[in-house]
Amino acid sequence: MASWSTSTPLPILLGLLSIFLLHPLTTTFGIRLGIIHRRTPDLPIFREAPSFQNGEQCGSEKADSIHVAMTLDANYIRGTMAAVFSLLQHSTCPENLCFHFLSAHIAPEFFSSIKSTFPYLNFKTYAFDSNRVRGKISKSIRQALDQPMNYARIYLANILPPDMGRVIYLDSDLVVVDDIAKLWSVDMEDKGRNPCYFNTGVMVVDVDKWRKGGYTQKVEEWMALQKRKRLYNLGSLPPFLLVLAGNIKAVDHRWNQHGLGGDNFEGKCRSLHPGPISLLHWSGKGKPWLRLDSRKPCTVDHLWAPYDLYHSSRHSLEE
C-alpha cells in the first residue's frame, strides 16, 4: 500500500469496504455450484504460536469482540502470520480478537495453515471473486499494487455479518506493538471534512456508514473513470482519497509508522519517524521477510523479525 505523509496522522474511515461475492468458508470445504476450486502455490511452513489467554479484566460477551480484517495471499502469507502473532502477543484480551481473512480462492491450504499455526485463533475465511475488480484495475507504478486482492478492502462490508458495526482493516506487511483495543475504542465522531492524504493499510471502519453511503459504488465509479482518462498512478489508494475527500477521523500517528518498506520503485531503507510507536508498517516496495532472507536487511527489519513464525527462518524467536 502507498505510504502516508509524515505530517498527516493516520485517519480512520467512516465506513469501509463492501465485499461482494465473498463466501465464508467452513471446515468442511464443501463444493459450491458456480465456484471453481483452484490450487494455491505451496505455502511456507510455520511454527505453532503459543496460546494467549485473556486477562482477568476482559469481558466474554459478544460486545467485547474486536474484529480485524486482513487479506490472504501466498506472496504475503508470511507477513500475515507475523501480523496476527504481534496482535495476539500485545493484546490484553487476545481471546476477544476475531479475525476475518479474505482470499482470492477457496483454498483449504490457507485455512489449514492458519489453524496449525494458531490452533486457538477465532477466525473465518472468505473467498473474494477477483473478477469483480480485474477489469476495473488500471496499471500503476508498481505491479504489486495492481493485484485484485489489493482492492478487496473496497468490498468488505458486504461480506461481514450485518450486526457488525466496526472493523479494523490491516495490511499484511505490518506488526502491532501495542494493545489493538486502544485503536478499536477510538472515538469516530467529530470527523473532519478537509481533503487530506491518508494510508488505507490501517483503517478503523464504520461498516454501517460505508454501506449506507454507497461508498463501494462510488469507488468503482472513480476506477472506471481512471480506466478512461488516467488520473492517477498509485493503485487502490487514490479512489479512496477522492471518494472520502476528508470525510474521515484521524488518530495518533503512532498507529501507522508507515513507509518502512521504502519507496515504490527501489524500496530503499528508511528510518523510524520520531515519537512513540504502536504499529510498524512496511508500506512501499521493500518487505522485511524478503530483505532478511536476502541477508541485506534494513535496520528496521530487525523489529519485524521477532514475530516471524516461518519454520526455517533464522530470524524468528527461539522456542
Side-chain angles (χ1 to χ4, degrees), residues 146-267:
D146 302 337
Q147 302 307 307
M149 287 308 296
N150 197 36
Y151 291 79
R153 73 196 74 189
I154 298 169
Y155 303 93
L156 182 59
N158 285 354
I159 187 57
L160 295 177
D163 60 345
M164 186 186 302
R166 177 177 294 203
V167 66
I168 297 175
Y169 174 83
L170 297 176
D171 273 351
S172 296
D173 53 357
L174 55 79
V175 292
V176 176
V177 294
D178 201 348
D179 191 345
I180 195 67
K182 298 176 183 177
L183 182 60
W184 175 259
S185 62
V186 67
D187 181 7
M188 295 176 67
E189 299 302 324
D190 299 324
K191 60 185 180 300
R193 192 57 189 178
N194 297 320
C196 61
Y197 179 84
F198 65 93
N199 177 267
T200 56
V202 181
M203 300 186 290
V204 181
V205 182
D206 187 322
V207 184
D208 290 332
K209 288 184 179 179
W210 182 272
R211 293 188 184 113
K212 293 175 182 177
Y215 286 104
T216 295
Q217 182 179 354
K218 293 175 182 178
V219 172
E220 287 184 324
E221 290 172 355
W222 276 105
M223 292 171 64
L225 183 60
Q226 161 74 356
K227 289 284 286 188
R228 299 195 303 267
K229 296 189 176 182
R230 189 70 178 177
L231 304 173
Y232 51 80
N233 300 307
L234 206 56
S236 63
L237 173 62
F240 268 92
L241 301 180
L242 291 165
V243 167
L244 292 164
N247 190 20
I248 57 175
K249 173 70 179 292
V251 296
D252 196 285
H253 180 269
R254 67 188 301 155
W255 283 104
N256 197 350
Q257 272 271 345
H258 65 92
L260 302 184
D263 58 72
N264 280 300
F265 296 99
E266 300 181 36

Side-chain angles (χ1 to χ4, degrees), residues 11-26:
I12 294 184
L13 291 185
L14 266 182
L16 178 179
L17 302 103
S18 189
I19 262 184
F20 90 114
L21 275 169
L22 299 174
H23 305 280
L25 302 183
T26 66

Side-chain angles (χ1 to χ4, degrees), residues 4-218:
W4 128 79
S5 65
T6 58
S7 60
T8 305
L10 163 69
I12 294 184
L13 291 185
L14 266 182
L16 178 179
L17 302 103
S18 189
I19 262 184
F20 90 114
L21 275 169
L22 299 174
H23 305 280
L25 302 183
T26 66
T27 55
T28 57
F29 295 103
I31 296 176
R32 299 171 185 260
L33 294 177
I35 298 178
I36 299 176
H37 292 245
R38 302 175 182 174
R39 179 176 175 79
T40 57
D42 291 336
L43 297 179
I45 303 299
F46 299 97
R47 297 181 295 112
E48 180 179 324
S51 61
F52 298 91
Q53 298 180 342
N54 281 356
E56 294 182 358
Q57 69 273 40
C58 299
S60 58
E61 302 297 327
K62 185 176 181 180
D64 298 313
S65 298
I66 296 174
H67 297 279
V68 178
M70 303 181 72
T71 58
L72 289 176
D73 181 277
N75 294 322
Y76 284 82
I77 187 68
R78 191 167 161 189
T80 301
M81 295 296 194
V84 172
F85 186 32
S86 71
L87 283 158
L88 294 171
Q89 184 169 328
H90 294 283
S91 177
T92 302
C93 305
E95 294 178 278
N96 290 357
L97 299 184
C98 300
F99 290 87
H100 305 267
F101 296 111
L102 315 180
S103 174
H105 311 299
I106 294 182
E109 295 90 344
F110 280 133
F111 183 94
S112 299
S113 184
I114 297 170
K115 195 65 178 177
S116 61
T117 307
F118 303 102
Y120 307 103
L121 193 68
N122 182 7
F123 75 97
K124 292 182 180 180
T125 54
Y126 309 86
F128 171 65
D129 186 353
S130 57
N131 290 324
R132 172 75 185 220
V133 293
R134 199 179 298 278
K136 300 181 177 69
I137 297 175
S138 301
K139 186 176 181 180
S140 66
I141 59 175
R142 183 160 60 91
Q143 185 177 4
L145 300 177
D146 302 337
Q147 302 307 307
M149 287 308 296
N150 197 36
Y151 291 79
R153 73 196 74 189
I154 298 169
Y155 303 93
L156 182 59
N158 285 354
I159 187 57
L160 295 177
D163 60 345
M164 186 186 302
R166 177 177 294 203
V167 66
I168 297 175
Y169 174 83
L170 297 176
D171 273 351
S172 296
D173 53 357
L174 55 79
V175 292
V176 176
V177 294
D178 201 348
D179 191 345
I180 195 67
K182 298 176 183 177
L183 182 60
W184 175 259
S185 62
V186 67
D187 181 7
M188 295 176 67
E189 299 302 324
D190 299 324
K191 60 185 180 300
R193 192 57 189 178
N194 297 320
C196 61
Y197 179 84
F198 65 93
N199 177 267
T200 56
V202 181
M203 300 186 290
V204 181
V205 182
D206 187 322
V207 184
D208 290 332
K209 288 184 179 179
W210 182 272
R211 293 188 184 113
K212 293 175 182 177
Y215 286 104
T216 295
Q217 182 179 354
K218 293 175 182 178

